[in-house]
Amino acid sequence: MSSVIAPSAIRGRFLDIQSTVDQAAAIPEQVRFIEDGLLITQDGKIQWFGTWQAGQHLAADLQVEHYPDQLILPGLIDTHIHFPQTEMIGAYGEQLLEWLNTYTFPTEMQFEDKAYADQIAAFFVQELLKNGTTTALVFCTVHPQSVDALFEAAERHHMRLIAGKVLMDRHAPEALCDTPESAYTDSKALIQKWHGKGRNLYAITPRFAPTSTAAQLAQAGQLKAEHPDVYVHTHLSENQNEIAWVKSLFPEQKNYLDVYHHYGLTGSRSVFAHCVHLEEQEWQCLHDTDSAIAFCPSSNLFLGSGLFPLKKTWEKQVKVGLGTDVGAGTAFSQLDTLNQAYKVQQLQGDKLSAFEALYHATLGAAKALDLHEKLGNFNVGKEADFIVCNLKATAVQALRQDRAKNIEDALFALMMMGDDRNIQATYIYGQKAYAQADRNQY
Ligand code: GUN
Ligand code: ZN
């Protein structure tokens, strides 16, 4: 893959976070803003990064793309999203369990048809690119062909996605149920086919505890033990009725997370979406096992699930990344999602700074996915996924940006008002994979 990827040189205003941190207060020290910078990529990786002044001689033989007025950020990382739910965004009136039965399950049944899955996967990947999302951890459906469809679509752009087949053997329509045995064999075949192929990575994906029998969770744990470097991706403690249901289904476990922990499904490559209503012991277990949370503010507001206590992730030293959770989240845009994240913190009396928000959508998210050695900022050697943001996509944005006090204020305004209109270009593995000028063709 790498030898065919040509070098490229990008000049402009770059902003990133240089290093992972243990406390929010340490983020400002790690902010790197280069007003006139240069980034050179080679074989999909960052070969050189610094000021234009220091590096311009290196770009002498390259065609330099210059973005003097825009802001170049690391690619945004979505730590929780469902590709088959793309078409059902904004489904009216229900909270989690009714929403699943009314809207989600009927929608997901269509993905038995590979051609349909291909069509939605192509749309989904294009929508990620259009919104500046360069890596995502993605739910497919129970159908193995839905996983093939998604990875095939991602591969066409050299995009790094993590995804897996849903495991679900009860409390769902017959047509969407697998069995403990088929969940194991189908997932194993998909791991062998996709995990580590190009940039693709595989996630064992039990939907959530209520839709898997103990026998199926045991099979999932067996798979994880046999393939320790694949991911585990599921939902946890999103809604009060869901939590009560889990307690009635698994009375022998101490709490909701303990159901997963018991079957060997926690760990440094395990990502739990939501975690809105965790008990103290569950926070401790996430910390002790180095598991991660996907914080999904748009979804949590839309389904009326609750307010996620982001500050507590720092107190308890639990990894967290931002997730859109489309289709319960109402936008693919991580800018829009950060806007909602800010308001969720306001409602709890906490402040989410622009730089902390950037961290959760880039390097912090990469850490949550155990990919911080490869993704999340402009450090030399990392994979060259980045986005070019137009800060002034609308008249009111231009009015506001002209009065921005500094780069932090400009970034904050971008996050509070921005969406896909602000994504001018998305680069994947050093190559331009999306340009806003072409957006109408999708
Ligand atoms: N819990 C189990 N399945 C789902 C899902 O599809 N979306 C959300 N938001 N929560 C879930
Ligand atoms: Zn979800």
Side-chain angles (χ1 to χ4, degrees):
M1 171 167 81
S2 58
S3 58
V4 298
I5 299 184
S8 58
I10 314 290
R11 179 180 179 187
R13 303 163 76 221
F14 290 84
L15 178 70
D16 72 343
I17 314 282
Q18 292 185 79
S19 164
T20 57
V21 295
D22 290 335
Q23 291 303 327
I27 292 173
E29 295 152 33
Q30 297 302 329
V31 170
R32 172 168 52 184
F33 177 48
I34 304 187
E35 279 268 14
D36 187 10
L38 173 69
L39 181 114
I40 298 177
T41 75
Q42 175 73 47
D43 292 337
K45 308 252 172 66
I46 297 172
Q47 188 188 42
W48 195 89
F49 178 59
T51 62
W52 169 253
Q53 202 178 21
Q56 57 184 292
H57 63 284
L58 299 169
D61 297 332
L62 300 174
Q63 198 178 342
V64 179
E65 280 187 279
H66 192 190
Y67 296 103
D69 303 319
Q70 292 81 342
L71 184 64
I72 305 174
L73 302 174
L76 304 175
I77 297 173
D78 190 337
T79 61
H80 180 66
I81 186 166
H82 299 247
F83 104 79
Q85 296 175 15
T86 303
E87 68 192 67
M88 52 164 281
I89 286 189
Y92 174 74
E94 304 295 352
Q95 297 210 350
L96 176 63
L97 301 177
E98 298 73 25
W99 175 86
L100 284 172
N101 287 320
T102 311
Y103 299 114
T104 312
F105 292 154
T107 302
E108 293 193 2
M109 283 187 206
Q110 302 169 96
F111 289 74
E112 206 218 327
D113 176 357
K114 174 68 167 31
Y116 190 74
D118 284 338
Q119 184 194 328
I120 300 295
F123 184 97
F124 172 85
V125 165
Q126 202 56 53
E127 202 63 25
L128 293 181
L129 293 171
K130 187 195 253 187
N131 283 279
T133 299
T134 52
T135 281
L137 173 57
V138 189
F139 258 68
C140 300
T141 64
V142 74
H143 314 99
Q145 57 271 37
S146 71
V147 180
D148 291 336
L150 183 66
F151 280 136
E152 284 161 13
E155 271 196 332
R156 292 199 280 274
H157 298 281
H158 297 309
M159 191 175 193
R160 189 179 274 292
L161 288 190
I162 313 171
K165 172 202 128 53
V166 167
L167 314 184
M168 178 155 68
D169 67 344
R170 64 170 168 174
H171 299 139
E174 182 86 31
L176 282 182
C177 284
D178 54 8
T179 66
E181 296 72 30
S182 71
Y184 175 87
T185 48
D186 287 349
S187 301
K188 196 161 183 86
L190 287 165
I191 290 168
Q192 277 153 357
K193 184 169 181 185
W194 290 112
H195 185 67
K197 178 166 181 251
R199 298 181 82 195
N200 303 314
L201 295 166
Y202 194 83
I204 301 165
T205 311
R207 172 163 229 120
F208 66 159
T211 48
S212 286
T213 58
Q216 182 167 74
L217 293 173
Q219 292 288 344
Q222 173 75 24
L223 261 181
K224 174 67 182 167
E226 288 166 9
H227 302 275
D229 64 330
V230 305
Y231 289 78
V232 174
H233 184 200
T234 188
H235 297 94
L236 173 63
S237 205
E238 174 177 6
N239 165 289
Q240 298 288 9
N241 293 340
E242 169 211 17
I243 295 166
W245 195 19
V246 172
K247 290 193 171 176
S248 73
L249 291 169
F250 295 94
E252 66 284 10
Q253 308 304 348
K254 289 200 289 280
N255 50 52
Y256 191 163
L257 178 56
D258 205 37
V259 176
Y260 299 131
H261 185 59
H262 176 79
Y263 292 103
L265 297 173
T266 48
S268 59
R269 288 199 159 191
S270 294
V271 180
F272 296 96
H274 307 300
C275 299
V276 175
H277 308 286
L278 293 180
E279 297 170 12
E280 281 305 312
Q281 280 187 332
E282 294 176 297
W283 280 105
Q284 194 60 44
C285 178
L286 289 174
H287 168 83
D288 292 345
T289 57
D290 197 33
S291 302
I293 295 173
F295 166 35
C296 306
S298 171
S299 165
N300 296 160
L301 294 171
F302 182 72
L303 292 181
S305 303
L307 303 177
F308 177 72
L310 183 61
K311 212 169 138 188
K312 200 147 178 176
T313 62
W314 295 111
E315 284 163 29
K316 298 288 176 184
Q317 293 290 295
V318 174
K319 300 181 300 190
V320 63
L322 189 73
T324 60
D325 193 27
V326 162
T330 52
F332 275 78
S333 170
Q334 304 237 70
L335 297 174
D336 178 279
T337 308
L338 287 171
N339 170 353
Q340 309 205 37
Y342 177 78
K343 292 168 184 169
V344 165
Q345 301 322 301
Q346 280 281 51
L347 285 166
Q348 299 172 90
D350 296 329
K351 290 182 190 174
L352 175 60
S353 75
F355 290 148
E356 183 183 344
L358 177 66
Y359 183 76
H360 292 310
T362 59
L363 189 60
K367 189 174 177 197
L369 299 182
D370 194 30
L371 290 173
H372 50 294
E373 304 292 339
K374 291 184 163 36
L375 300 177
N377 62 18
F378 301 123
N379 288 356
V380 169
K382 288 213 178 171
E383 297 173 1
D385 293 346
F386 54 91
I387 59 174
V388 180
C389 299
N390 169 14
L391 299 181
K392 301 179 179 177
T394 67
V396 68
Q397 288 181 13
L399 189 80
R400 170 69 173 85
Q401 289 290 351
D402 281 339
R403 288 154 183 78
K405 294 193 288 284
N406 50 37
I407 188 63
E408 184 172 13
D409 190 30
L411 179 67
F412 185 69
L414 172 69
M415 288 165 170
M416 293 307 105
M417 294 190 286
D419 54 30
D420 58 311
R421 293 169 300 181
N422 297 84
I423 307 301
Q424 184 164 327
T426 301
Y427 286 75
I428 300 281
Y429 224 49
Q431 300 295 294
K432 197 189 290 181
Y434 166 79
Q436 194 175 71
D438 306 333
R439 66 184 280 162
N440 291 333
Q441 78 191 50
Y442 311 117

